[in-house]
Amino acid sequence: MTVKVAVAGATGYAGGELLRLLLAHPDVEIGALTAASSAGTPLGALQPQLAPLADRVVAETSAETLGGHDVVFLALPHGHSGAIAEQLGPDVLVVDMGADHRLTAAADWQHWYGGDHAGAWPYGLPELPGARDRLRATTRVAVPGCFPTGGSLALAPAVASDLVAPDVTIVSVTGTSGAGKSLKPHLLGAEVMGNVSAYGVAGAHRHTPEFVQNLSAAAGRQVTVSFTPVLAPMPRGILTTASAPLTGDADAVRGVYEAAYADEPFVRVLPEGQWPTTAATVGSNTVQLQVSVDEQAGRLVVVAAIDNLTKGTAGGAVQSMNIALGLDETTGLPTTGVAP
Amino acid sequence: MTVKVAVAGATGYAGGELLRLLLAHPDVEIGALTAASSAGTPLGALQPQLAPLADRVVAETSAETLGGHDVVFLALPHGHSGAIAEQLGPDVLVVDMGADHRLTAAADWQHWYGGDHAGAWPYGLPELPGARDRLRATTRVAVPGCFPTGGSLALAPAVASDLVAPDVTIVSVTGTSGAGKSLKPHLLGAEVMGNVSAYGVAGAHRHTPEFVQNLSAAAGRQVTVSFTPVLAPMPRGILTTASAPLTGDADAVRGVYEAAYADEPFVRVLPEGQWPTTAATVGSNTVQLQVSVDEQAGRLVVVAAIDNLTKGTAGGAVQSMNIALGLDETTGLPTTGVAP
Amino acid sequence: MTVKVAVAGATGYAGGELLRLLLAHPDVEIGALTAASSAGTPLGALQPQLAPLADRVVAETSAETLGGHDVVFLALPHGHSGAIAEQLGPDVLVVDMGADHRLTAAADWQHWYGGDHAGAWPYGLPELPGARDRLRATTRVAVPGCFPTGGSLALAPAVASDLVAPDVTIVSVTGTSGAGKSLKPHLLGAEVMGNVSAYGVAGAHRHTPEFVQNLSAAAGRQVTVSFTPVLAPMPRGILTTASAPLTGDADAVRGVYEAAYADEPFVRVLPEGQWPTTAATVGSNTVQLQVSVDEQAGRLVVVAAIDNLTKGTAGGAVQSMNIALGLDETTGLPTTGVAP
Amino acid sequence: MTVKVAVAGATGYAGGELLRLLLAHPDVEIGALTAASSAGTPLGALQPQLAPLADRVVAETSAETLGGHDVVFLALPHGHSGAIAEQLGPDVLVVDMGADHRLTAAADWQHWYGGDHAGAWPYGLPELPGARDRLRATTRVAVPGCFPTGGSLALAPAVASDLVAPDVTIVSVTGTSGAGKSLKPHLLGAEVMGNVSAYGVAGAHRHTPEFVQNLSAAAGRQVTVSFTPVLAPMPRGILTTASAPLTGDADAVRGVYEAAYADEPFVRVLPEGQWPTTAATVGSNTVQLQVSVDEQAGRLVVVAAIDNLTKGTAGGAVQSMNIALGLDETTGLPTTGVAP
């Protein structure tokens, strides 16, 4: 089986990583590559790492250029996916790597993003309870935000099993590709190298409601989330440290996590004493997890590492595509990182 | 007034930063420079950035080589300061940049470091309540750990004024110089670049009891601390994100912090909306702070940036020396960072 | 066809990258993984990025552990490959990633490395004139040094066609993984980040005779090489800038390079105006090249980018293995980079 | 003596570094701080490292705001300095950190920059033969480009004493602050980290004619220069490797360099065997030099490290100001680097 795939937003970081994965996917034929301002440029000038696609010319993003494909990935600024998806018809698998269809509550959307809510689509984090089933045979997928990918998997088993109180603290340290290619002064190399800073502090980051949604669903009750993202001088990777007051049995913790992820091909609970590093996940669809109990502070502490562009965006998108198309979920997805 | 100063551990990162500051200090004459294995080497081969001291030959660390100075800084592995200090006599100002005399409780020392407790000395973080007075005219100073420097100042005003519950979560992202020049595989450049990782997780880091000691003293009651250090790919700097359940008036928060640090020359509460960056503090003795309330999560969130080698070690040491000698506290201490 | 492969030196950077490639190679079964001091350790503790091999235990490097495989890769310190190869028998394909069998002249070996010369093996840089033929059906391969890989390909077409005088200047900027995992102070993260330095300057680097050998062979006359390696703050990658006095026709330059590499699957002469970046080659077996003439200075200037661990070591090794085994040369070798 | 100083371009990297130095200069009072688009903003929001100036509001760059000062530093895009200098009057010391008055030949200016040539001013690299005298009592200074600063000092002694043929090759590896704060995609953190690339290759960089001018003047004959700049993942620093065919006595080389710089407070020829590192010069006005002979290749090889923002721009500017004002040349200029 070969599916023909189009990528809208092929010139950004998410689009580039997606194409790297699709080039290695045995069941995919890469069709239209589209973008906004750089339409007409050979892809090689914008994504020089994608040597096999260097001579492909970028087309304009439109229903016309994206039409006629089996699968369309949308890596667009928020607010643009709904209209395009409608024009593509219900039979095309549309995988939205943007934010438009992640939040289930219209009020949340309006509060955090503004404008009309485009509605929620099946959520592309198959490792969350129930999520995989909703992805099977769907033709619409909402890929999670990069922070909620690692952070939700870090805490879901604990809140689902009442190991902790529903009041969690998450600090996620991210590489700068998470901000995309937007030309902002604080993203210049001279600014980010040798520098660590926090942003979107105190509940101001738009991924906060997504955390609340995921963890509350897993817990079966409302979970309070204090989320702080931190920018670190590296291109890729997110290291999440998450903690919550321990209410269950400390001795049960490891078993709960190992059981939760025993059958997951992309989540690895590390052996005791080994801690996740983002480098080990670079270019890989793997989540590395470690869990521990701080007895003095009475808290469960979980650390999770992912590549924000792979498992955190493009890899999660391909994994969801595989499920939706009925392919083996792991097809074309690397589980080895490029390190050092 | 000119004081003659010796530095034990002159070849390490803390010693090098100390010498950089002392070279610019108008009241200091730099005397003996000592070390362990590299005695006999010209300093220029080991600290090439200290051009004015390039031809000075490193001596062996001993009571003899350190004797005959007005001030002796000790940047030694833990467990070595007490014996040397005794041999130097009570009139010499001994500033210990190691851990030996930070903890007041012998039981804490034994639990975290092992061996006999050398006793506590006045704590070199003058911005903590009462600390400055204890540093005046002392001849013994215990310089704080790098993490407790920024983290304690981030939370002390809040716990001291009952703005928050005594149950705090601290995640500190540090550059790799904090680990010193020890040759460990995980500190190699190829390992740390492009990589973020946590270590000493879940209460395992030795700075944890120092946090508890500082914050409990400030609060006047026992404070529980969940501390997680994170290693980031930069040479210098610590960004601390600290939070705790808000119990006081959200509107009072900014005023409490501004009042606490209004007269402090080295602590700067940033204007609202501006967040600390470690780059802005590189080579400077300044702490940059910002404070905010996450209403949804009901938490106070504080972010603090320091240079771990300057305010976090050598700058704090010089500041304490200035106080102990009766000099202007700010003498020789930069408040401008080297950025970008 | 499936070949069983052993890797000696599986815990180093070259060994790790090799295993990453072998895991994706359809014709390879990974057998023994060996090392020196870390024998007995699960590979996951040392190469956490190789998730599929995490539970494999490292064996001691010996003829016994390496025996019984079709192919043995040796990533050992120099001086160790010859003896082991002898014990493995003439039918086993031995691919030496070390220096032992690169130099053809015994005098060169003795001058640069000392000790007895183990003899030269077919040189694993198939893109050099004649090299590919010598690799076919050989059972011994000497993988080139990382610097000579990019630098030789940058200049071989020019010296072979008399475009330039046989007097070349090469400056190669490398990431720090090229130095391996050896614990040396100048390789610590705090030393290399924010820092660029030269080493092995003025003909002192051991890759110099390899450059001379490759370029003299290509030119058919003795070529003089001034080589300077420079260490830059990144884990991977080598950017080579090479130049020589132009003696041929400036207008012919591009044609000569395009013709030289027209059929090479792993060498890409970029479109005019686009310059190589190391990031575009990370994790890829590709060489990116650009060539230009400085009319004022009368020099040909070539810039080449590679990943030192992939095309510069492990990828070149797999490529040579493919040729020696009669497989398609490109099997299992990525041509897309992991960027950003 | 206190001079009142204005800085035009106070919000850029050169302006920020200049202000850091001026804050520590005992004879300077900082007056107007001006910029273009960010006029009206507090400096603290744009240069957070300059804590003592955080509340100063940036004014618009004009003859009015810059008038009434003893010294005016211009850190402006090229083409703007001449007109402003004329309006400031002949008695004001104008130090131009831009390119407008560096080149002596109008034809060079027109070729490399275009438009009318504003004329040459005394060149602010006092270590070049004759330059210091021309700076004394001038009221106009042209600060050198960052690359020609280190590269000219690396080669001037050799070409001046006929140690080498007048045909030099220079490769300079620079941090990204050299490109300023301009918002270009290739300067984003995600692009520069983990990446090395060349640009302005084959004589295309505008600093090339400045090299030719400096070295030809030192040599007393025309010198041919092949210059290649390389971008490396660090905020600051330039490492220059320069070489030329050795025509003189190899044994004389070290003596020539040591003699040339014996009395220079900011140029340090390192002890034999020690090589320059950019980290050792960060924030310092020092040039670190090492010189060696490659006997095989018959070339002199020189390596020089500077901080592009300090000695390469703002430090050189202050040094020139000191000379022009008759102050001690070293006043206010650090010779210790901030490392690691």
Side-chain angles (χ1 to χ4, degrees):
Chain A
M1 157 177 171
T2 295
V3 293
K4 198 167 176 196
V5 173
V7 176
T11 62
Y13 291 142
E17 180 69 355
L18 178 64
L19 287 168
R20 184 179 74 85
L21 298 174
L22 293 177
L23 278 165
H25 196 295
D27 302 319
V28 159
E29 179 196 341
I30 298 177
L33 309 179
T34 78
S37 61
S38 46
T41 312
L43 192 66
L46 301 161
Q47 305 275 25
Q49 79 280 15
L50 302 176
L53 298 173
D55 298 330
R56 297 280 294 268
V57 175
V58 177
E60 200 132 347
T61 299
S62 71
E64 286 73 44
T65 54
L66 298 173
H69 296 82
D70 303 304
V71 183
V72 176
F73 289 91
L74 302 176
L76 303 174
H78 72 82
H80 291 70
S81 304
I84 283 192
E86 257 177 51
Q87 294 178 269
L88 294 173
D91 295 341
V92 175
L93 173 56
V94 181
V95 182
D96 186 7
M97 298 159 82
D100 291 21
H101 306 90
R102 294 173 190 159
L103 298 179
T104 53
D108 274 351
W109 175 265
Q110 279 148 17
H111 176 73
W112 289 94
Y113 294 90
D116 285 345
H117 186 218
W121 290 352
Y123 192 71
L125 192 51
E127 295 86 354
L128 285 184
R132 187 171 277 115
D133 284 343
R134 285 189 289 271
L135 291 167
R136 287 193 222 282
T138 184
T139 61
R140 294 293 184 267
V141 174
V143 178
C146 54
F147 289 120
T149 294
S152 301
L153 297 181
L155 286 168
V159 299
S161 60
D162 288 334
L163 275 177
V164 296
D167 181 11
V168 307
T169 299
I170 300 171
V171 177
S172 293
V173 185
T174 182
T176 66
S177 63
K181 283 191 182 173
S182 53
L183 294 175
K184 294 176 185 161
H186 78 284
L187 296 176
L188 284 175
E191 301 291 324
V192 297
M193 291 185 288
N195 196 15
V196 168
S197 57
Y199 67 105
V201 183
H205 193 282
R206 282 171 168 166
H207 286 177
T208 306
E210 204 175 329
F211 274 117
V212 172
Q213 177 175 300
N214 291 347
L215 295 177
S216 298
R221 54 175 170 167
Q222 188 69 14
V223 175
T224 300
V225 177
S226 164
F227 172 55
T228 307
V230 171
L231 198 64
M234 60 181 181
R236 291 181 176 226
I238 297 177
L239 190 89
T240 292
T241 69
S243 72
L246 185 75
T247 52
D249 179 6
D251 293 337
V253 164
R254 173 159 293 272
V256 165
Y257 274 78
E258 288 179 345
Y261 296 124
D263 297 330
E264 289 297 343
F266 296 117
V267 184
R268 187 152 181 267
V269 181
L270 294 177
E272 261 185 281
Q274 185 179 353
W275 291 90
T277 65
T278 60
T281 67
V282 168
S284 152
N285 204 48
T286 303
V287 184
Q288 286 201 346
L289 268 184
Q290 185 54 286
V291 62
S292 190
V293 171
D294 181 339
E295 292 187 12
Q296 198 86 19
R299 293 181 82 89
L300 175 78
V301 183
V302 191
V303 177
I306 63 165
D307 182 324
N308 60 304
L309 292 180
T310 319
K311 179 59 179 166
T313 306
V318 171
Q319 186 181 351
S320 297
M321 175 195 80
N322 287 342
I323 297 170
L325 294 176
L327 299 171
D328 183 301
E329 186 173 334
T330 64
T331 311
L333 287 169
T335 54
T336 56
V338 180
Chain B
M1 158 176 172
T2 296
V3 293
K4 199 167 174 193
V5 172
V7 176
T11 60
Y13 291 143
E17 180 70 354
L18 178 64
L19 288 168
R20 185 180 73 86
L21 297 174
L22 294 177
L23 279 165
H25 195 295
D27 302 319
V28 159
E29 179 196 342
I30 297 177
L33 309 179
T34 80
S37 60
S38 46
T41 312
L43 192 67
L46 301 161
Q47 304 275 25
Q49 79 280 15
L50 302 175
L53 299 172
D55 298 331
R56 296 280 294 270
V57 175
V58 177
E60 200 132 347
T61 299
S62 71
E64 286 72 45
T65 54
L66 297 173
H69 295 81
D70 304 305
V71 183
V72 175
F73 290 91
L74 301 176
L76 303 173
H78 71 82
H80 291 70
S81 303
I84 283 192
E86 257 176 50
Q87 293 178 270
L88 293 174
D91 295 342
V92 175
L93 173 57
V94 181
V95 182
D96 186 5
M97 298 159 82
D100 291 21
H101 305 92
R102 293 172 190 159
L103 297 179
T104 53
D108 274 351
W109 175 264
Q110 280 148 15
H111 176 72
W112 289 94
Y113 294 90
D116 286 344
H117 186 217
W121 290 352
Y123 192 70
L125 193 51
E127 294 86 354
L128 284 183
R132 187 171 277 116
D133 284 342
R134 286 188 289 272
L135 291 167
R136 287 193 223 282
T138 185
T139 62
R140 294 294 183 269
V141 175
V143 178
C146 54
F147 289 120
T149 294
S152 300
L153 298 181
L155 286 169
V159 298
S161 60
D162 288 334
L163 275 176
V164 295
D167 183 11
V168 307
T169 299
I170 300 172
V171 178
S172 294
V173 186
T174 183
T176 66
S177 64
K181 283 191 183 173
S182 52
L183 295 174
K184 294 177 186 159
H186 78 284
L187 296 176
L188 284 174
E191 300 291 324
V192 297
M193 292 185 288
N195 195 15
V196 167
S197 57
Y199 67 105
V201 182
H205 194 282
R206 282 171 168 166
H207 286 177
T208 306
E210 205 176 328
F211 274 117
V212 172
Q213 177 175 299
N214 291 346
L215 295 177
S216 298
R221 55 176 171 168
Q222 188 68 16
V223 175
T224 299
V225 177
S226 164
F227 172 56
T228 306
V230 172
L231 198 64
M234 61 180 182
R236 292 182 174 224
I238 297 176
L239 191 90
T240 292
T241 68
S243 72
L246 186 75
T247 53
D249 179 4
D251 293 337
V253 164
R254 173 159 292 271
V256 165
Y257 274 79
E258 288 179 345
Y261 296 125
D263 298 329
E264 290 297 343
F266 296 117
V267 184
R268 187 151 182 269
V269 181
L270 294 177
E272 261 184 283
Q274 186 178 352
W275 291 91
T277 65
T278 61
T281 68
V282 169
S284 153
N285 203 48
T286 303
V287 184
Q288 286 199 347
L289 269 184
Q290 185 54 286
V291 61
S292 190
V293 170
D294 181 338
E295 291 186 14
Q296 197 88 18
R299 293 182 82 89
L300 175 77
V301 184
V302 191
V303 177
I306 62 165
D307 183 324
N308 60 307
L309 292 179
T310 319
K311 179 60 178 166
T313 306
V318 171
Q319 185 181 351
S320 297
M321 176 194 79
N322 287 343
I323 297 170
L325 294 176
L327 299 171
D328 183 301
E329 186 172 334
T330 64
T331 311
L333 287 168
T335 53
T336 55
V338 179
Chain C
M1 160 177 169
T2 295
V3 293
K4 198 167 175 194
V5 172
V7 177
T11 60
Y13 291 142
E17 180 69 355
L18 178 64
L19 288 168
R20 184 179 73 86
L21 298 174
L22 294 177
L23 279 164
H25 195 295
D27 302 319
V28 160
E29 178 197 341
I30 297 178
L33 308 180
T34 79
S37 60
S38 47
T41 313
L43 192 68
L46 301 162
Q47 305 274 28
Q49 79 280 14
L50 301 175
L53 299 172
D55 299 330
R56 296 282 294 270
V57 175
V58 177
E60 198 131 348
T61 299
S62 71
E64 286 71 46
T65 54
L66 298 173
H69 295 82
D70 304 304
V71 184
V72 175
F73 289 91
L74 302 176
L76 303 172
H78 71 81
H80 291 70
S81 303
I84 283 193
E86 257 176 52
Q87 293 178 270
L88 294 173
D91 294 342
V92 175
L93 173 57
V94 181
V95 182
D96 186 5
M97 298 159 82
D100 290 21
H101 305 90
R102 293 172 191 159
L103 298 179
T104 54
D108 274 352
W109 175 264
Q110 280 147 18
H111 176 73
W112 289 94
Y113 294 90
D116 286 343
H117 186 217
W121 289 353
Y123 192 71
L125 192 51
E127 295 87 353
L128 284 184
R132 187 171 278 114
D133 284 342
R134 286 188 289 272
L135 291 167
R136 286 194 222 284
T138 186
T139 62
R140 295 292 183 269
V141 175
V143 178
C146 54
F147 290 120
T149 295
S152 301
L153 298 181
L155 286 169
V159 298
S161 59
D162 288 335
L163 275 177
V164 296
D167 182 12
V168 308
T169 299
I170 300 171
V171 177
S172 294
V173 186
T174 182
T176 67
S177 63
K181 283 191 182 173
S182 51
L183 294 174
K184 294 176 184 159
H186 77 284
L187 295 177
L188 284 174
E191 300 291 324
V192 299
M193 291 185 288
N195 195 15
V196 168
S197 57
Y199 67 105
V201 183
H205 193 282
R206 282 170 168 168
H207 286 177
T208 306
E210 204 175 329
F211 274 117
V212 172
Q213 177 175 300
N214 292 347
L215 295 177
S216 298
R221 54 176 171 167
Q222 187 68 16
V223 174
T224 300
V225 177
S226 165
F227 172 55
T228 307
V230 171
L231 198 64
M234 60 180 182
R236 292 180 175 226
I238 296 177
L239 190 90
T240 292
T241 69
S243 72
L246 186 75
T247 53
D249 179 6
D251 293 337
V253 164
R254 174 159 292 272
V256 165
Y257 274 78
E258 289 179 346
Y261 296 124
D263 296 330
E264 290 297 342
F266 296 117
V267 184
R268 185 151 181 270
V269 181
L270 295 176
E272 260 185 284
Q274 186 179 352
W275 291 92
T277 65
T278 61
T281 68
V282 168
S284 152
N285 203 47
T286 303
V287 184
Q288 286 201 347
L289 270 183
Q290 185 53 286
V291 60
S292 190
V293 170
D294 181 339
E295 293 187 10
Q296 197 87 18
R299 292 181 82 88
L300 175 79
V301 184
V302 191
V303 177
I306 62 165
D307 183 324
N308 60 305
L309 292 179
T310 320
K311 179 60 179 165
T313 306
V318 171
Q319 186 181 351
S320 297
M321 176 195 80
N322 287 342
I323 297 170
L325 294 177
L327 299 171
D328 183 302
E329 187 172 333
T330 64
T331 311
L333 288 168
T335 53
T336 56
V338 179
Chain D
M1 159 178 171
T2 296
V3 292
K4 199 166 175 196
V5 172
V7 176
T11 59
Y13 291 142
E17 180 69 355
L18 178 65
L19 288 167
R20 184 179 73 86
L21 298 174
L22 294 177
L23 279 165
H25 196 295
D27 302 319
V28 160
E29 179 196 340
I30 297 176
L33 308 180
T34 78
S37 60
S38 46
T41 313
L43 192 67
L46 301 161
Q47 304 274 26
Q49 79 279 16
L50 302 175
L53 299 173
D55 298 331
R56 297 279 295 269
V57 175
V58 177
E60 199 130 348
T61 299
S62 70
E64 286 70 46
T65 53
L66 298 173
H69 296 81
D70 303 306
V71 184
V72 175
F73 289 91
L74 302 176
L76 303 173
H78 72 81
H80 291 70
S81 303
I84 283 192
E86 257 178 51
Q87 293 177 271
L88 294 174
D91 295 341
V92 175
L93 173 56
V94 181
V95 182
D96 185 6
M97 298 160 82
D100 291 22
H101 305 90
R102 293 173 190 159
L103 297 179
T104 53
D108 275 351
W109 175 264
Q110 280 148 17
H111 177 73
W112 289 94
Y113 294 91
D116 286 343
H117 185 218
W121 289 353
Y123 191 70
L125 191 52
E127 295 86 354
L128 285 183
R132 188 172 276 114
D133 284 343
R134 286 188 288 273
L135 291 168
R136 286 192 223 284
T138 187
T139 61
R140 294 292 183 270
V141 175
V143 178
C146 54
F147 289 120
T149 295
S152 300
L153 298 181
L155 286 169
V159 298
S161 60
D162 288 335
L163 276 176
V164 296
D167 183 12
V168 306
T169 300
I170 299 171
V171 177
S172 293
V173 186
T174 183
T176 66
S177 64
K181 284 191 183 173
S182 51
L183 295 175
K184 295 176 184 160
H186 78 285
L187 296 176
L188 284 175
E191 300 291 324
V192 298
M193 291 185 288
N195 195 14
V196 168
S197 57
Y199 67 104
V201 182
H205 193 281
R206 282 170 168 168
H207 285 178
T208 306
E210 204 176 328
F211 274 117
V212 172
Q213 177 175 299
N214 291 348
L215 295 177
S216 297
R221 55 176 171 168
Q222 187 69 14
V223 174
T224 299
V225 177
S226 164
F227 172 55
T228 308
V230 172
L231 199 64
M234 60 179 181
R236 290 180 176 226
I238 297 176
L239 190 90
T240 293
T241 69
S243 73
L246 185 75
T247 53
D249 179 5
D251 293 338
V253 164
R254 174 159 290 273
V256 165
Y257 273 79
E258 288 180 346
Y261 296 124
D263 297 330
E264 290 298 341
F266 296 117
V267 184
R268 186 150 182 271
V269 181
L270 294 177
E272 262 184 279
Q274 186 179 351
W275 290 91
T277 64
T278 61
T281 67
V282 168
S284 152
N285 203 48
T286 302
V287 184
Q288 286 201 347
L289 269 184
Q290 184 55 285
V291 61
S292 190
V293 169
D294 181 338
E295 292 187 12
Q296 197 87 20
R299 292 181 81 90
L300 176 78
V301 184
V302 191
V303 177
I306 63 166
D307 183 323
N308 60 305
L309 292 180
T310 320
K311 179 60 180 166
T313 307
V318 171
Q319 186 181 351
S320 297
M321 175 194 81
N322 287 343
I323 296 171
L325 294 176
L327 299 171
D328 184 301
E329 187 172 333
T330 64
T331 311
L333 287 168
T335 54
T336 56
V338 179

